[in-house]
Amino acid sequence: MNNVAEYEACAMGIQAAIESKIKILEVYGDSALVIHQLKSEWETRDAKLISYQAYIRELVEYFDEITFQHIPREENQLADVLATLSSMFVMSQKEDMSFIKMQQLYYPAYCQMIEEESNGKPWYHDIKNFLQHQEYPSNAAENDKRTLRKLAMSFFLNGDVLYKRNDDMVLLRCVDALKARKIMEEIHEGSFGTYANGHAMARKILRAGYY
């Protein structure tokens, strides 16, 4: 999100709080520039941002107390999720807002992504089988076959080892659930040294050459 969009999102959120008659508000944003400017700690030189800043300062007067806090982008996962959810809903003024139920898991969500298929085969079995034998899964519909062909273009088979091409065309070795768990244990506690959250762990696994 650029700084103009950050200011717009901030103004919309504050307006919503005013309409809800909220008097004490904490505002969090992942743009350090915008947050520090709104706190008057940094000077605003960009002409496009001055009017936004002035408008938000007018809105601030509606509150008994309002604070602005910077939250690093990598720690702002909840906002990313909410933004994704909001983009999925099409609402009209005559409809009530849909109820969104949020649930917190007691273990990282990415752990669910490394389970083997119910038949005991690895997640990449169909891709590997297609590259080896040009065969489709049994009972695969034409749309499924087309999707598999397109997906397989991003993979490379060398002997019995399957690799995923990343955006830089670097080959990442595909691993099954057992190997993935061992890699995660190493990153959490072993040779990689420090505890890592989900996003950091994924980046470290990719840097280590696995997918």
Side-chain angles (χ1 to χ4, degrees):
M1 182 180 294
N2 59 41
N3 292 321
V4 171
E6 187 84 16
Y7 265 106
E8 290 177 343
C10 183
M12 291 175 60
I14 294 175
Q15 286 175 331
I18 292 174
E19 293 172 359
S20 300
K21 296 181 171 53
I22 293 172
K23 289 299 181 181
I24 299 177
L25 181 66
E26 294 181 358
V27 179
Y28 293 88
D30 56 21
S31 170
L33 175 67
V34 172
I35 293 300
H36 284 292
Q37 286 177 344
L38 290 175
K39 294 170 70 174
S40 299
E41 295 176 349
W42 292 0
E43 183 181 355
T44 305
R45 297 181 179 179
D46 190 333
K48 298 190 299 292
L49 303 181
I50 293 176
S51 58
Y52 285 103
Q53 185 184 50
Y55 177 63
I56 291 177
R57 285 180 174 170
E58 290 179 5
L59 297 179
V60 165
E61 299 301 321
Y62 287 89
F63 297 90
D64 294 336
E65 181 181 344
I66 182 171
T67 58
F68 296 91
Q69 303 292 334
H70 174 241
I71 179 171
R73 194 174 300 274
E74 62 270 15
E75 298 177 13
N76 203 21
Q77 299 172 17
L78 179 59
D80 292 338
V81 171
L82 291 175
T84 301
L85 284 174
S86 65
S87 67
M88 297 169 62
F89 289 88
V90 178
M91 303 295 298
S92 70
Q93 294 181 351
K94 297 181 180 180
E95 294 179 343
D96 294 331
M97 178 66 70
S98 300
F99 178 74
I100 299 176
K101 181 179 179 181
M102 301 184 66
Q103 183 179 5
Q104 181 178 4
L105 299 177
Y106 293 100
Y107 45 86
Y110 53 78
C111 289
Q112 300 184 36
M113 301 302 295
I114 61 172
E115 297 294 336
E116 300 286 8
E117 298 178 5
S118 57
N119 57 11
K121 298 176 182 177
W123 62 267
Y124 52 80
H125 171 76
D126 292 339
I127 299 172
K128 184 177 179 180
N129 187 58
F130 177 78
L131 292 175
Q132 281 182 320
H133 308 294
Q134 297 295 301
E135 294 178 353
Y136 300 100
S138 59
N139 302 321
E142 284 303 318
N143 187 56
D144 296 329
K145 293 179 181 179
R146 185 165 53 252
T147 300
L148 180 58
R149 289 195 300 269
K150 183 177 180 180
L151 187 63
M153 293 174 63
S154 299
F155 290 82
F156 170 74
L157 188 63
N158 182 20
D160 197 48
V161 180
L162 183 67
Y163 295 89
K164 171 71 168 64
R165 296 187 181 93
N166 69 4
D167 295 336
D168 298 325
M169 300 305 292
V170 175
L171 297 179
L172 305 174
R173 181 167 182 166
C174 298
V175 296
D176 58 19
L178 180 61
K179 179 63 176 177
R181 291 188 182 280
K182 290 181 178 179
I183 294 172
M184 288 197 301
E185 289 174 1
E186 289 183 354
I187 292 178
H188 268 297
E189 304 169 359
S191 60
F192 287 85
T194 59
Y195 174 84
N197 61 32
H199 290 283
M201 174 178 291
R203 289 195 296 269
K204 288 185 177 182
I205 290 175
L206 293 175
R207 287 199 296 269
Y210 298 104
Y211 186 82

